[in-house]
Amino acid sequence: MYKALYRKYRSKSFDQMLGQEFIVKSLKNQIINNEISHAYLFSGTRGTGKTSAAKIFARAVNCENPIDGNPCNKCESCTSILNDLNMDVVEMDAASNNGVDDIRQLKEKVIYPPTSLKYKVYIIDEVHMLSKGAFNALLKILEEPPRHLIFILATTEIEKIPATILSRTQKFEFKRIAINEIIKNLKSITEEEGKSLDDEVYLLIAKNADGSMRDALSVLDQLLSFDIKNMTIEDAVNILGISSQEAIFKFTNALINRDLIGAVNAIDELADQGKDFLSLNNQLLGHFRDLMLVKTLQEPEKLVFSTYLKEFKAQAQNSDLDRILEIIDGLKDLQTNIKYAENPRILMEMTSLKICSEPSQKSLWDNIKNLRERIESLEEGRTQSFKREDPSDIIKKEKESQVIHKSENENFVPSPILEDRVEKKEGLPLENESEEESFDLKTPEAKEILKESKEFDDENNKEEILSLKDIREDWPKILDNLKAINQVALAGVLIDAKVHSFANNLLDITFAEGHVFHIRVVNDPERLEIIKSLLKKRYNRDIEVRFSLEKDITAEKLENLFEKNIINRK
């Protein structure tokens, strides 16, 4: 009967094991020094040598002539174990013997001493498959084991093992075997079988094995069964149903460059070749992983094992790292869904179209960043508009302003009372806004200021048609009038206001949403009276003024562009 390569070339001594040097050294030292524990736990991914190490250890502890911690494989004990003829070494599969009754039967057997060997060894594969009751029964054995008993537990999912079991075992973590070691072993076995493969084929097998020597040998077994004296990469790709690197580069270039037609055509070409879409997606993920590392690392050769490294570097130069990460994210989601899809081609096409058509996350974040910077600059400008000025500077600026706007306000003469009032304000607490706005329109001082203000000429006092356009054009002058009567802070607040509408002698003035403080300031009865008085002086009519908040159009647009819960509207 034909024997599979992974069984035929299974390691028979610790020295033949690949990629587990530290574990091998520890186990050999225990055997040499006769420091054998009663329970071991071997964990790690599939095909890394856990069961092989357990069988070697079972022979080594019972070997009549051990050689530097290795079994001799020649004595009666070793040969009987190798040929599965010794009843004192038992290998169990916990997946099919996971009940509490199975472990109770085991408990009844282990109490008896070995018949021909020094130790009774029980190897339990996939131990994480045991039920809770079975683990409790096993725990009782591990707590009080007989002196002649050794348990070797093997698992690929150590996180499922109860802590009470873990604490009673020596734990050894088997790591994935390096690609170089897998290739070296594959070449050695191929030579023994009298065959040869191209170097690219060995690399293809090793990369797809994902650190598992057993998986690599299974693939090699499949290739060698075609009885081709020297197998090329094209032969291997066709036999294994793996897409060629040329097709993969064509497909990935289409995804990177957002080429919808190229991506769909590439899928159609691969489908005609009968490629499995789950395997294809695995290849794509592996390709973009290598591309990501080539794009990021200065020496990608240490982590990217490929004969197409030159092509990867060329593709990386024409790719953006953010774009590569976006594609990996899309393919990752596809990997989960495609396993259970009745028509995986549709999912592959749909995902490819999404990847090619969706806007770049980088561009979206850039837009948000630009919006944030604009908002911050606006807020910073608004803050500067509220900065308090030195009273002496106010008088100086007002005098300069009178010269600049002489043509507009040539009849305006600053009141001497105003200068006295400004000088008196020196030394007042600048932080207290209410103290600055203590101007009372009913006081004789205020009446005299308004009386002495000759800014409004006779033409403006005549009754005439007043439009919204007129008020908007005059608005800067109105703010200057406020400053002239020492209402600098009020003018600063109204800088952010917008003259919204005017009808039936009702003037609507709005602030952007969030300016609640501004509304509270301008709606103060005294300040409102000041504004109405200035308007009456200018336009010779009683004008009612109403302040309100307008809808935040910018936030609304952001909510339409993104989701409402993303936008923080204060």
Side-chain angles (χ1 to χ4, degrees):
M1 183 177 177
Y2 177 75
K3 200 170 186 179
L5 291 181
Y6 77 87
R7 296 182 61 205
K8 183 177 180 180
Y9 292 97
R10 185 191 289 274
S11 301
K12 291 182 171 60
S13 67
F14 287 122
D15 294 339
Q16 292 178 2
M17 292 190 66
L18 300 175
Q20 314 298 342
E21 292 80 7
F22 293 103
I23 294 175
V24 164
K25 184 175 182 180
S26 178
L27 294 177
K28 286 173 65 176
N29 286 338
Q30 288 191 22
I31 293 169
I32 293 171
N33 299 324
N34 195 26
E35 297 174 349
I36 311 300
S37 177
H38 70 283
Y40 297 86
L41 177 64
F42 294 167
S43 63
T45 189
R46 68 188 188 283
T48 51
K50 300 185 295 295
T51 304
S52 296
K55 290 184 175 183
I56 294 170
F57 189 80
R59 293 197 301 275
V61 295
N62 288 300
C63 183
E64 298 171 9
N65 304 299
I67 304 171
D68 192 25
N70 287 298
C72 68
N73 293 324
K74 296 179 180 179
C75 66
E76 184 178 351
S77 298
C78 289
T79 54
S80 64
I81 297 172
L82 277 171
N83 296 323
D84 296 326
L85 299 176
N86 201 302
M87 301 296 292
D88 292 330
V89 176
V90 181
E91 185 175 356
M92 290 179 56
D93 179 21
S96 53
N97 299 278
N98 57 4
V100 63
D101 292 335
D102 297 311
I103 303 301
R104 284 174 180 170
Q105 291 177 10
L106 176 65
K107 182 180 177 181
E108 294 174 359
K109 296 177 181 178
V110 298
I111 59 175
Y112 299 107
T115 55
S116 59
L117 301 178
K118 183 178 180 182
Y119 291 101
K120 241 182 182 179
V121 182
Y122 280 83
I123 302 170
I124 305 179
D125 277 327
E126 304 300 330
V127 70
H128 64 272
M129 299 291 288
L130 291 179
S131 65
K132 184 177 180 180
F135 271 124
N136 290 334
L138 179 62
L139 177 63
K140 189 62 178 177
I141 305 174
L142 296 178
E143 283 177 341
E144 300 174 0
R147 297 184 61 183
H148 59 264
L149 181 63
I150 298 175
F151 272 108
I152 303 178
L153 314 178
T155 179
T156 55
E157 300 180 38
I158 190 173
E159 66 277 1
K160 293 184 178 180
I161 309 296
T164 51
I165 299 292
L166 294 175
S167 64
R168 289 168 173 81
T169 62
Q170 288 192 17
K171 295 172 285 295
F172 293 91
E173 180 72 28
F174 285 67
K175 62 181 181 179
R176 284 180 170 85
I177 302 173
I179 289 179
N180 290 333
E181 292 185 348
I182 293 178
I183 291 174
K184 183 180 179 181
N185 195 38
L186 291 177
K187 287 182 177 179
S188 175
I189 292 173
T190 306
E191 289 176 4
E192 286 199 38
E193 293 293 319
K195 304 287 179 64
S196 64
L197 307 174
D198 284 353
D199 288 342
E200 292 180 358
V201 180
Y202 290 120
L203 182 58
L204 177 67
I205 297 172
K207 287 189 69 175
N208 281 277
D210 192 28
S212 170
M213 194 68 237
R214 183 173 65 239
D215 288 5
L217 290 176
S218 296
V219 174
L220 179 64
D221 208 351
Q222 182 180 351
L223 295 177
L224 295 183
S225 64
F226 276 79
D227 200 20
I228 300 174
K229 187 173 182 180
N230 184 56
M231 183 167 291
T232 63
I233 185 64
E234 290 78 13
D235 296 327
V237 166
N238 291 327
I239 292 170
L240 299 176
I242 299 174
S243 302
S244 65
Q245 280 296 324
E246 182 181 354
I248 292 295
F249 271 103
K250 181 179 178 181
F251 193 5
T252 53
N253 280 328
L255 294 178
I256 292 171
N257 298 323
R258 302 181 185 275
D259 182 3
L260 293 172
I261 298 176
V264 173
N265 288 338
I267 293 174
D268 183 63
E269 180 182 342
L270 294 166
D272 290 341
Q273 297 174 11
K275 304 303 181 185
D276 176 66
F277 284 99
L278 179 59
S279 300
L280 173 61
N281 197 58
N282 278 324
Q283 274 189 271
L284 291 174
L285 281 169
H287 180 96
F288 280 106
R289 175 261 183 190
D290 292 343
L291 183 62
M292 174 182 65
L293 295 179
V294 170
K295 182 74 176 177
T296 307
L297 304 178
Q298 293 183 351
E299 297 180 358
E301 297 84 0
K302 295 180 178 180
L303 293 176
V304 178
F305 298 91
S306 176
T307 56
Y308 297 90
L309 197 58
K310 183 179 178 181
E311 287 80 0
F312 271 112
K313 289 182 178 180
Q315 191 178 43
Q317 288 180 351
N318 300 321
S319 307
D320 183 72
L321 182 59
D322 289 328
R323 179 63 181 158
I324 296 171
L325 296 176
E326 288 173 11
I327 296 173
I328 291 175
D329 195 49
L331 295 176
K332 172 180 65 65
D333 294 338
L334 176 62
Q335 186 73 5
T336 304
N337 299 327
I338 203 169
K339 294 179 181 179
Y340 311 103
E342 294 183 5
N343 194 333
R345 175 173 178 170
I346 295 177
L347 285 182
M348 176 68 75
E349 290 174 338
M350 182 180 70
T351 301
S352 300
L353 292 175
K354 281 184 178 180
I355 290 172
C356 292
S357 60
E358 286 184 347
S360 171
Q361 292 182 6
K362 184 176 183 297
S363 64
L364 290 176
W365 282 114
D366 286 343
N367 290 337
I368 294 174
K369 182 180 178 182
N370 291 335
L371 284 172
R372 186 183 292 116
E373 289 176 352
R374 290 180 63 186
I375 293 170
E376 288 175 355
S377 64
L378 289 172
E379 291 179 348
E380 183 179 353
R382 186 179 303 121
T383 303
Q384 290 176 354
S385 70
F386 281 106
K387 288 182 178 179
R388 302 293 299 273
E389 298 182 80
D390 186 84
S392 60
D393 292 336
I394 295 175
I395 299 174
K396 183 178 179 181
K397 289 181 180 179
E398 290 303 324
K399 290 180 178 179
E400 292 175 353
S401 176
Q402 293 166 21
V403 175
I404 295 172
H405 301 290
K406 186 176 181 181
S407 60
E408 301 177 16
N409 304 308
E410 59 185 6
N411 293 325
F412 179 81
V413 179
S415 168
I417 302 177
L418 170 65
E419 295 186 5
D420 293 338
R421 181 177 174 81
V422 172
E423 291 173 359
K424 288 177 182 179
K425 287 180 72 68
E426 291 185 4
L428 291 179
L430 299 181
E431 293 79 4
N432 192 335
E433 188 271 337
S434 62
E435 290 188 25
E436 181 206 358
E437 300 295 341
S438 61
F439 184 75
D440 189 355
L441 194 68
K442 298 178 181 179
T443 62
E445 183 182 358
K447 291 178 181 179
E448 187 175 350
I449 291 173
L450 292 175
K451 182 178 178 182
E452 292 180 359
S453 177
K454 298 181 179 180
E455 178 185 19
F456 314 117
D457 55 22
D458 294 337
E459 293 181 1
N460 288 334
N461 292 333
K462 295 178 181 179
E463 185 74 23
E464 58 184 15
I465 299 175
L466 183 62
S467 68
L468 176 64
K469 181 180 178 182
D470 296 330
I471 298 178
R472 285 179 173 171
E473 289 177 352
D474 293 341
W475 190 248
K477 301 174 187 177
I478 295 172
L479 297 182
D480 288 338
N481 297 153
L482 283 171
K483 293 178 182 177
I485 61 173
N486 203 29
Q487 292 296 314
V488 178
L490 181 58
V493 170
L494 289 174
I495 286 175
D496 296 323
K498 176 182 177 183
V499 180
H500 184 262
S501 63
F502 177 70
N504 299 324
N505 280 337
L506 176 61
L507 179 62
D508 270 322
I509 301 176
T510 60
F511 288 93
E513 189 176 31
H515 290 66
V516 179
F517 170 77
H518 295 58
I519 291 290
R520 189 166 60 248
V521 170
V522 297
N523 277 328
D524 178 78
E526 291 189 4
R527 299 188 184 101
L528 195 60
E529 189 64 30
I530 293 172
I531 297 170
K532 290 166 66 175
S533 297
L534 286 178
L535 293 174
K536 183 174 182 179
K537 282 285 186 182
R538 175 171 288 277
Y539 300 116
N540 195 27
R541 66 176 67 183
D542 291 324
I543 299 176
E544 291 296 324
V545 183
R546 181 171 60 193
F547 293 97
S548 60
L549 291 176
E550 67 179 0
K551 191 171 184 181
D552 192 346
I553 300 174
T554 302
E556 185 180 45
K557 288 182 177 179
L558 285 174
E559 290 176 355
N560 293 332
L561 180 60
F562 304 102
E563 296 179 3
K564 287 189 176 182
N565 57 358
I566 295 178
I567 307 302
N568 182 15
R569 298 183 64 177
K570 297 181 180 179

